[in-house]
Amino acid sequence: MPATVRGPVADLGATLMHEHVFGLSPEILWNWPDIPEGWDPEIRAREAAAKLDALQAEGVDTIVDLTVPGLGRYLPAVQRVAGLTGVNIVAATGYYTYDALPPYFANRGPGSLFGGPDRLAEFFVRDLTEGIGRTGVKAAMLKCASDHLGMTKGCERVFRAVAEAHLETGAPITTHSHSASRGGLDQQRLLTSLGVDPERVVIGHAGDSADLAYLEELLAGGSYLGMDRFGIDTIAPFEQRVAVVAELCARGHAGRLVLGHDSYCFNDRFDADVVRRRHPDYHLLHIPRDVLPELRKRGVTDDQIHQMLVVNPREILR
């Protein structure tokens, strides 16, 4: 059974595969705890639980929280949220960087200043098999990232460590990719070369692209596509995102698509008022309230929506 923050569950139900509960900046919180946007764990937990309850009322049962180190993962706070909502929260492990690793890892490992073993895979495996920190909560998915800088040395180290942890545990992998540079192909090739079955990989943020040839090349390589930034219209507008999903479904690819927003219940790294003004649909309710009705208007069937929201996540997180 898939692991969630509250423990294993038999049925995840309808699942959004790329979301975040909290994105935090630990060194800011440690040193300037009275910043205007404020971090009160109890207040933020109740706010997050209310947002998740509203999502459940729209028919979504589970979110995959892809907040990993590098994005401010703090599982005790997420545990509090999980205790206040009926929505299942799946935790992830990995490391998030577009470029270099932080000194803790950059100064350890082959080729580093001080050498020694590379501990990334060790940490990831521990999160998956023993639990994250002292919470006892087991991660159920691995995450790695590359962006406009391409597969930097730091990114490649994370990808290699994620592949190693995957091969040891069987946990699925999701990525942050840069669609404008067709970066998902480099990710897919590297992971496959390391022995990862591409069918156990979700190429995240593929929905930023309207290049159907690129997307079908990723699909031909065997991976799932994350159509997972609905609401971030400055990268790709609503019209484009729904048109691409509808066309891929029409071409028979619903069995390889998953949905999400890449949204946060609370994120101290962005000004919340600015985000609301620029991205008014960047929230957890956008897919059930706006995206799914529009997909149905464009000919996407209820069976295909069930495939993307229920069947595909279940197969990925098995």
Side-chain angles (χ1 to χ4, degrees):
M1 292 191 292
T4 75
V5 173
R6 285 195 300 268
V9 297
D11 183 7
L12 295 173
T15 302
L16 298 180
M17 285 292 291
H18 196 130
E19 307 297 345
H20 302 273
V21 179
F22 298 130
L24 303 174
S25 304
E27 289 198 276
I28 302 298
L29 296 175
W30 293 340
N31 293 287
W32 297 285
D34 56 344
I35 54 176
E37 56 267 33
W39 168 250
D40 182 307
E42 186 61 25
I43 291 173
R44 297 304 182 189
R46 293 187 179 279
E47 289 174 350
K51 292 176 180 180
L52 291 171
D53 286 345
L55 178 64
Q56 189 170 37
E58 297 287 342
V60 176
D61 308 292
T62 301
I63 65 165
V64 179
D65 181 357
L66 291 178
T67 313
V68 296
L71 287 172
R73 186 185 70 182
Y74 183 55
L75 248 295
V78 180
Q79 279 185 298
R80 178 60 180 146
V81 176
L84 295 170
T85 181
V87 172
N88 302 308
I89 303 172
V90 175
T93 188
Y95 199 89
Y96 186 89
T97 180
Y98 294 167
D99 189 1
L101 285 163
Y104 183 93
F105 294 112
N107 291 331
R108 291 172 166 85
S112 69
L113 179 61
F114 296 102
D118 188 339
R119 304 195 69 189
L120 282 165
E122 172 195 340
F123 284 16
F124 301 163
V125 169
R126 189 174 76 173
D127 284 357
L128 291 160
T129 60
E130 299 178 22
I132 297 168
R134 295 181 175 87
T135 65
V137 173
K138 293 180 181 179
M141 196 156 201
L142 287 151
K143 183 181 182 182
C144 43
S146 63
D147 203 81
H148 63 288
L149 297 174
M151 190 62 69
T152 66
K153 290 182 178 179
C155 291
E156 184 173 342
R157 269 188 64 186
V158 177
F159 273 75
R160 289 181 176 277
V162 160
E164 183 178 340
H166 161 78
L167 293 173
E168 183 169 338
T169 66
I173 297 169
T174 192
T175 75
H176 165 111
S177 72
H178 187 247
S179 284
S181 60
R182 298 165 61 94
L185 292 170
D186 287 338
Q187 295 180 343
Q188 190 180 60
R189 282 191 288 264
L190 176 58
L191 290 170
T192 302
S193 75
L194 296 170
V196 175
D197 180 350
E199 293 189 359
R200 303 295 290 144
V201 177
V202 180
I203 302 297
H205 308 330
D208 292 350
S209 178
D211 183 347
L212 291 171
Y214 163 63
L215 297 176
E216 290 199 309
E217 189 172 350
L218 288 171
L219 289 164
S223 297
Y224 288 85
L225 301 186
M227 318 306 282
D228 52 27
R229 273 182 164 174
F230 280 102
I232 308 182
D233 291 343
T234 52
I235 296 176
F238 176 81
E239 169 69 24
Q240 175 182 307
R241 291 186 186 276
V242 294
V244 168
V245 173
E247 179 60 25
L248 289 173
C249 287
R251 295 185 183 194
H253 299 307
R256 278 287 182 265
L257 308 180
V258 294
L259 305 179
H261 305 92
D262 194 15
S263 69
Y264 287 81
C265 295
F266 173 77
N267 183 358
D268 69 13
R269 292 167 300 141
F270 299 102
D271 184 296
D273 290 335
V274 172
V275 171
R276 277 191 290 268
R277 287 197 304 272
R278 294 185 179 179
H279 304 284
D281 294 323
Y282 181 49
H283 56 77
L284 284 169
L285 304 182
H286 182 45
I287 285 176
R289 289 185 176 177
D290 306 316
V291 174
L292 298 185
E294 185 61 28
L295 289 176
R296 291 185 176 102
K297 288 181 184 177
R298 292 166 184 261
V300 178
T301 67
D302 285 340
D303 283 347
Q304 289 173 320
I305 289 172
H306 182 79
Q307 182 81 39
M308 292 185 286
L309 283 176
V310 178
V311 178
N312 296 345
R314 183 175 64 212
E315 284 300 304
I316 293 165
L317 293 165
R318 67 182 189 272

